[in-house]
Amino acid sequence: MSLFLPDRRSVLAGAALLVPGVASAAARYDAVLWRGPGKPPVAAPTYASLSAAVAAAPANGTKPFRIFVARGVWDEQVVIDKPFVHLVGQDRKASVISHLAASGLTAPDGKRWGTFRTPTLFVRAPDFAARNLTIQNAFDGLAEMSKPGGLHSHDGGGPQAVALMLDKGSDRARFADVDLLSYQDTLFPDAGSSLFERCLVTGSYDFIFGAGQALFRDCEIRSRPRPVDPIDGYIVAPSTSIEQPVGFVFVKCRLTKEAGTKKGSVYLGRPWRPSSQFADGRYGDPKFQGATAFIDCWMDDHIAPAGWTEMWYTGKDGNPRTMLQPEDARFSQFNATGPGAAKFERGRWLSASEARAMTQVVLARL
């Protein structure tokens, strides 16, 4: 049985951004990324970097500031710290916002990047939107992990390389027809609400993770091989607060795989429990009870038959390998189909009414 979900795009602020044809030269733009030579593809003030274009946006804007991203690789690390910044690409595959940083690599300040400093694009303001472009972290995780002495650890010295982070201050972010590319920790929706439609997200370990509320609709979630490890990965690692009724919700998405990804080698997810400081020490905070649901999703045969699995955290006794089981999180599914669909005994099966209600919770915040 397939769950019918109403299309709420018409009620979203700036919904025109999601309509095909918006990226045409006839639309009005406030800025264009352009290096020349020749005439820019749209009539608007030109900027040689996305950071410069964002700096030109009003500090407290109340309507979209539209930036046209022309074809090219725009290599920079960018912070969106102003509301209503909207990016529209000229070409989904060829309008590329890119940066190379990985947790274990050395940053310009001489320190390791660490996971939380690696994102190519940080969003720290509400009502951001992006359409018809690519956001990538250019770090080649597979090549790095495959060479002797490469980055393999799961701490601050590992191959984590974030493409997009929805950071504190982000809310009501919207993405349509966007490719989000990396290898580990690709997409970090850590704050606010967000909507992803017809997007592609690629990665291997925990490549969609964080504490935010995000709805993925009609997206492709593509797992990449990780031959240096026994398994090829985990799709999600949510750290949802128990105060939030839902975390990540995937509706009518396709869970696909790159060549070389082994059968049954990718878990739907595992629960991430970050540590907090308490009077009696620093350890995994029990308020983080990750939440994810896959609803009406097609799954290829790389999905592990168990569906969900455990993840370690620092226990109250200081043990850094205390295991948090999926039964202690909020993992669920409804109407899984495809070669990888199974009983998924470690996740809860939703009723149709529960699945519908879960989706509406995220939509109501957008």
Side-chain angles (χ1 to χ4, degrees):
M1 180 175 68
S2 178
L3 178 65
F4 171 75
L5 296 167
D7 189 344
R8 288 284 301 278
R9 282 179 292 176
S10 61
V11 303
L12 301 180
L17 185 66
L18 304 181
V19 178
V22 156
S24 70
R28 185 186 67 82
Y29 295 95
D30 301 286
V32 56
L33 296 191
W34 180 248
R35 297 191 186 100
K39 184 179 178 180
V42 300
T46 60
Y47 296 88
S49 73
L50 179 55
S51 295
V54 172
N60 298 296
T62 57
K63 62 180 182 179
F65 184 88
R66 298 182 176 89
I67 301 173
F68 188 86
V69 183
R71 293 186 181 93
V73 177
W74 304 91
D75 189 357
E76 58 179 315
Q77 195 170 39
V78 182
V79 176
I80 306 293
D81 56 2
K82 297 179 178 180
F84 287 101
V85 171
H86 288 193
L87 308 181
V88 182
Q90 184 177 14
D91 186 302
R92 178 170 177 168
K93 302 296 183 183
S95 297
V96 182
I97 302 166
S98 180
H99 186 254
L100 193 159
S103 183
L105 298 182
T106 302
D109 62 5
K111 300 177 182 179
R112 291 194 307 196
W113 279 101
T115 303
F116 302 149
R117 292 204 297 161
T118 63
T120 296
L121 186 67
F122 295 86
V123 178
R124 294 174 176 164
D127 298 295
F128 173 80
R131 181 185 182 273
N132 200 46
L133 48 76
T134 292
I135 302 168
Q136 70 176 17
N137 189 312
F139 176 70
D140 191 336
L142 181 58
E144 176 68 24
M145 288 183 285
S146 300
K147 69 184 184 183
L151 301 176
H152 292 273
S153 71
H154 295 276
D155 61 14
Q160 298 92 333
V162 181
L164 170 66
M165 180 179 185
L166 304 182
D167 205 353
K168 184 178 180 179
S170 174
D171 198 18
R172 300 181 300 276
R174 303 183 305 284
F175 301 82
D177 305 301
V178 171
D179 289 355
L180 298 160
L181 312 179
S182 189
Y183 208 87
Q184 180 170 332
D185 292 9
T186 305
L187 173 58
F188 192 7
D190 200 42
S193 58
S194 52
L195 172 66
F196 297 82
E197 294 191 293
R198 303 179 304 280
C199 293
L200 167 66
V201 188
T202 71
S204 60
Y205 269 37
D206 306 330
F207 63 101
I208 302 173
F209 71 113
Q213 293 186 347
L215 174 61
F216 298 82
R217 193 156 56 181
D218 299 311
C219 293
E220 180 184 356
I221 312 300
R222 185 186 300 166
S223 293
R224 308 183 72 178
R226 195 176 176 109
V228 297
D229 288 318
I231 66 169
D232 283 317
Y234 317 87
I235 293 174
V236 302
S239 55
T240 324
S241 169
I242 191 62
E243 299 168 353
Q244 294 180 193
V246 299
F248 303 152
V249 181
F250 297 81
V251 178
K252 295 186 177 179
C253 293
R254 291 176 57 83
L255 310 188
T256 65
K257 63 178 182 178
E258 285 188 0
T261 307
K262 298 181 292 294
K263 182 177 180 179
S265 67
V266 175
Y267 289 93
L268 294 173
R270 55 182 182 171
W272 176 29
R273 175 165 285 177
S275 293
S276 296
Q277 187 66 47
F278 299 93
D280 56 349
R282 183 176 178 80
Y283 47 84
D285 193 331
K287 79 175 182 182
F288 295 113
Q289 296 187 5
T292 297
F294 288 90
I295 299 170
D296 282 337
C297 291
W298 182 93
M299 306 177 183
D300 210 339
D301 66 4
H302 61 302
I303 299 301
W308 310 89
T309 192
E310 60 194 15
M311 189 174 187
W312 58 86
Y313 70 100
T314 300
K316 195 172 182 179
D317 61 358
N319 178 8
R321 302 290 295 187
T322 304
M323 303 308 294
L324 183 63
Q325 302 298 327
E327 289 77 16
D328 296 321
R330 293 169 288 169
F331 291 154
S332 57
Q333 56 278 326
F334 175 84
N335 191 38
T337 59
K343 293 182 178 180
F344 300 147
E345 295 176 356
R346 301 207 72 180
R348 187 171 74 88
W349 286 91
L350 300 170
S351 68
S353 60
E354 287 175 323
R356 184 179 296 108
M358 188 174 291
T359 306
Q360 294 299 330
V361 167
V362 186
L363 285 171
R365 292 199 56 193
L366 291 164

